[in-house]
Amino acid sequence: MKVEGQVIDKQAVKEYLLGLQDSICAQLGAVDSGEWKEDRWVREEGGGGRSRVLVDDAIIEKGGVNFSHVFGTEMPASATQHRPELAGRRFEAMGVSLVIHPQNPYAPTSHANVRFFIAEKDGAEPVWWFGGGYDLTPYYGNEEDCSHWHQTAKSACDRFSKDYYSRFKNWCDDYFYLKHRSEPRGIGGLFFDDFNELGFEQSFAFMRGVGDSFSSAYIPILERRHNIAFGEAERQFQLYRRGRYVEFNLVWDRGTLFGLQTGGRTESILMSMPPLVRWEYDWTPEPGSAEAELYTKYLIQRDWV
């Protein structure tokens, strides 16, 4: 497909995303010996996907790395809320989305997503864009981990523009924020959407740069932290903080809404949920504790590089 002299190569995007899913699963598998359970599914309205899940293994308590490619005759409400001019267009959406919940409370949860959308209408130019990013949710903060995470993100962005890291870091901080709690979900990372400013070829290259950098950002952290000794107090705090993760995904996450509103596979959409979680009424950490430090030192607007 050509748009204003550009070739929109949807097949190349799909092949990259399938390869990214394979690569991330293989690299995580080199750390954790567990076996991924794979489900291939078909969406009745159009499209389907390939979901891979790892549950209750030695290092990863629950992880999911999903590929989906869905299409339909009309954009869902979650997509047209911010782009009303797209109402009535047929669409295609494809992407890889992953969440890793480690066993050890000292190993942070991580999330990543890269995606491509195109909305088309007869007699009109197609509208397309890339989106994605990744964010980190620690339970016990670590300066080395946070700096490494953000430096890797910055390096991925700097290849394209020295302005992108600060722009997409700030967007991530704003997006992954629980307004009803007045606190961030974690220490952020990158978030970008509606991205087509470099033209198709270079916008696609930027999305690939972000997707390819995830493993370099996260796996060294997982390798450093998964063997740290912990007790029941740390485990209970991890489960409590996981509640915030669930709240964000169910209340604020646009990707969850998009998946549900397009009739996506519910099991795959909600694979991001941790296997165990707890809520406790009006709980606050002991002043000066490691748990309190998470709030005062890490869950704040902060520059990491």
Side-chain angles (χ1 to χ4, degrees), residues 121-290:
K121 186 177 182 179
D122 292 341
E125 292 284 355
V127 179
W128 59 269
W129 65 88
F130 292 95
Y134 43 70
D135 65 289
L136 194 70
T137 305
Y139 307 101
Y140 291 89
N142 182 283
E143 295 266 353
E144 179 187 10
D145 292 349
C146 296
S147 295
H148 167 80
W149 177 261
H150 278 273
Q151 185 58 61
T152 306
K154 184 177 186 300
S155 296
C157 291
D158 284 353
R159 293 172 44 220
F160 297 87
S161 170
K162 297 296 184 183
D163 298 327
Y164 281 176
Y165 169 70
S166 60
R167 174 178 159 191
F168 298 140
K169 175 200 180 293
N170 290 336
W171 198 349
C172 187
D173 289 341
D174 291 342
Y175 182 76
F176 290 103
Y177 189 81
L178 288 84
K179 300 178 182 68
H180 63 289
R181 296 282 191 181
S182 298
E183 67 181 47
R185 186 168 84 172
I187 58 103
L190 300 173
F191 181 87
F192 67 99
D193 206 2
D194 301 320
F195 187 85
N196 56 18
E197 63 195 58
L198 300 178
F200 179 81
E201 186 176 328
Q202 282 301 299
S203 295
F204 181 24
F206 176 71
M207 186 266 271
R208 294 198 306 270
V210 171
D212 292 343
S213 69
F214 168 78
S215 294
S216 299
Y218 183 60
I219 288 178
I221 297 173
L222 186 61
E223 289 176 326
R224 284 195 294 264
R225 308 299 164 207
H226 74 82
N227 274 328
I228 297 176
F230 67 92
E232 185 62 19
E234 290 81 8
R235 173 62 167 171
Q236 291 302 311
F237 183 62
Q238 177 195 46
L239 299 185
Y240 173 75
R241 287 300 308 174
R242 280 178 175 177
R244 300 292 204 269
Y245 205 91
V246 172
E247 289 175 22
F248 179 86
N249 280 22
L250 293 182
V251 177
W252 300 110
D253 188 63
R254 295 208 312 257
T256 301
L257 275 179
F258 178 86
L260 294 175
Q261 290 178 359
T262 54
R265 183 172 183 260
T266 302
E267 285 298 310
S268 298
I269 296 165
L270 298 182
M271 68 88 195
S272 61
M273 299 304 176
L276 293 173
V277 63
R278 63 188 287 262
W279 280 268
E280 187 170 331
Y281 179 74
D282 200 27
W283 181 86
T284 56
E286 187 75 23
S289 65

Side-chain angles (χ1 to χ4, degrees), residues 89-151:
R89 286 178 175 248
R90 61 186 180 272
F91 74 93
E92 274 187 74
M94 61 183 82
V96 166
S97 180
L98 68 93
V99 178
I100 304 298
H101 294 288
Q103 298 273 10
N104 195 310
Y106 289 101
T109 285
S110 65
H111 160 260
N113 173 268
V114 285
R115 56 191 179 272
F116 174 69
F117 286 88
I118 186 166
E120 299 175 87
K121 186 177 182 179
D122 292 341
E125 292 284 355
V127 179
W128 59 269
W129 65 88
F130 292 95
Y134 43 70
D135 65 289
L136 194 70
T137 305
Y139 307 101
Y140 291 89
N142 182 283
E143 295 266 353
E144 179 187 10
D145 292 349
C146 296
S147 295
H148 167 80
W149 177 261
H150 278 273
Q151 185 58 61

